[in-house]
Every structure is written in structure tokens, then in C-alpha cells.
Amino acid sequence: RQPLRTRPLGERLCSAEEATAGSGTYTRHGFIFSSLVGCLEKRGEESGLPVVSVVRDAESQLLPDVGAVVTCKVCSINSRFAKVHILYVGSTPLKSTFRGTIRREDIRATEKDKVEVYKSFRPGDIVLAKVISLGDAQSNYLLSTAENELGVVVARSEAGVQMVPISWCEMQCPRTHTKDLRKVARVQPQFLQT
């Protein structure tokens, strides 16, 4: 048994002539594919071809799903969307990073046409968001912060100090008293990471 790196769902593992499809795999068009996320195992069989199977890693089975509340970190912003890395699903940390996008029209529920991304998020912000779709070929999850409970939960000021929310759209640096615009989350206690 030789567990290797984690294989994504649907990865082509090998030709069906080289091995027999075991658990966690399927055969199509003469190739064996992974039918779940996990580690590839190849077992030699005395009767002939080795058996390939994909074994689900207990911690790798948690994936962001539509409707899940996720904690993410903003990586970059432009006028149309914010790019984020998803860090937690609920309160469970993810082993691998998933990329997400919060589009301008999904930032808040009202006056969507007046929303400006740079007045809502900044790179480095920690944001609570909800998964609204599993996204496109680049494996980007589409996220929304339209609900009151969703939005920025942790942001640092230019002085490097964690800012304090003072309204639904502003945070203030406790050291310099500078105010910054954000789409602030009205945080529910169950979502707070200690």
C-alpha cells in the first residue's frame, strides 16, 4: 500500500489495461478515474493486474457546499469582485485552500448598483460569507455577503491594529481613530473563531 498525494474528484488515474478499478474509482473510455477526493492506493494482486483504489482521507472529505457559511481571507480586489481563500467551513478548518469570488452584486442585499468593492473589503480582511454556487472551471466558489450576519469580521488598519466596527459600514482604528469603510458583519456568537 502506498498512499500518495490527495487526488481530486474525477482525476484520470491510469489506463484500465494497467490496473483493475477498486473502491473510490470508476472506469470510462478505457481509463480509471477517481470518484472521490482522497489518496490513491495501488495493491498488487497475485492473480494479475494491480487494483487501484482511492481512499477518502477522514479530514479531506469536508468541502464547501452551497448554503454553507465559510470564513475566508480576502486576497485581492478589483471594481467587479473580491478574490478570497476559504479557510473554514462553519468552525472546521480546511486542510487545503479553496478559492472563492464575491461579486459586486453579491456584497449586500440592498442598493446593489451603488456597491463599491473597495469600500466593502480590503486584502487581508477576514470575511464571513455564504456559498451560493460551486462556481466555474477555475474551481472558484461564488460567495455572498448579502445577509446582515455576513461580511468583514476582522480587519487591520494601516497602523497594523485590529479595527473595531462602529456601524454596518465602518470600522475604526483604536490607535489612530481613522475610519475605514467596510461591509461589516453583524457577528452571531456561533461564528466567532476564538
Side-chain angles (χ1 to χ4, degrees):
R1 285 171 167 260
Q2 47 175 105
L4 298 171
R5 64 184 176 84
T6 299
R7 299 306 177 116
L9 176 70
E11 182 177 330
R12 193 167 85 180
L13 303 172
C14 64
S15 160
E17 291 166 10
E18 298 169 41
T20 308
S23 61
T25 68
Y26 62 92
T27 309
R28 184 176 291 163
H29 307 307
F31 290 95
I32 298 174
F33 293 85
S34 165
S35 66
L36 49 83
V37 176
C39 291
L40 177 68
E41 287 196 353
K42 223 173 194 170
R43 267 201 321 276
E45 291 291 320
E46 284 158 30
S47 58
L49 293 175
V51 175
V52 292
S53 39
V54 176
V55 180
R56 179 173 275 169
D57 179 343
E59 291 160 335
S60 72
Q61 59 185 305
L62 183 73
L63 297 170
D65 205 357
V66 173
V69 173
V70 296
T71 305
C72 43
K73 185 174 188 173
V74 178
C75 306
S76 64
I77 58 172
N78 65 26
S79 60
R80 298 189 325 278
F81 52 76
K83 291 271 185 202
V84 302
H85 281 156
I86 300 171
L87 309 173
Y88 289 80
V89 173
S91 58
T92 309
L94 293 169
K95 283 179 74 182
S96 48
T97 304
F98 293 92
R99 291 194 304 270
T101 302
I102 305 170
R103 298 175 303 187
R104 194 175 80 119
E105 59 268 29
D106 297 322
I107 289 175
R108 63 174 200 235
T110 56
E111 298 183 312
K112 294 180 183 191
D113 53 326
K114 294 183 182 167
V115 174
E116 291 183 73
V117 178
Y118 77 95
K119 290 182 178 176
S120 306
F121 309 117
R122 296 284 169 89
D125 287 358
I126 302 297
V127 173
L128 272 181
K130 188 171 271 187
V131 179
I132 52 173
S133 125
L134 302 185
D136 51 29
Q138 280 88 48
S139 73
N140 268 359
Y141 286 82
L142 285 181
L143 308 175
S144 162
T145 56
E147 293 169 39
N148 290 342
E149 287 72 32
L150 306 175
V152 177
V153 285
V154 178
R156 295 201 172 275
S157 66
E158 286 180 12
V161 181
Q162 187 168 322
M163 294 199 288
V164 179
I166 53 172
S167 76
W168 64 272
C169 63
E170 275 187 315
M171 287 184 142
Q172 186 172 34
C173 172
R175 185 183 295 163
T176 63
H177 304 296
T178 312
K179 293 177 184 175
D180 263 348
L181 291 169
R182 291 291 197 283
K183 196 290 180 185
V184 181
R186 190 177 71 203
V187 179
Q188 300 297 301
Q190 73 263 30
F191 293 130
L192 277 173
Q193 305 294 341
T194 48

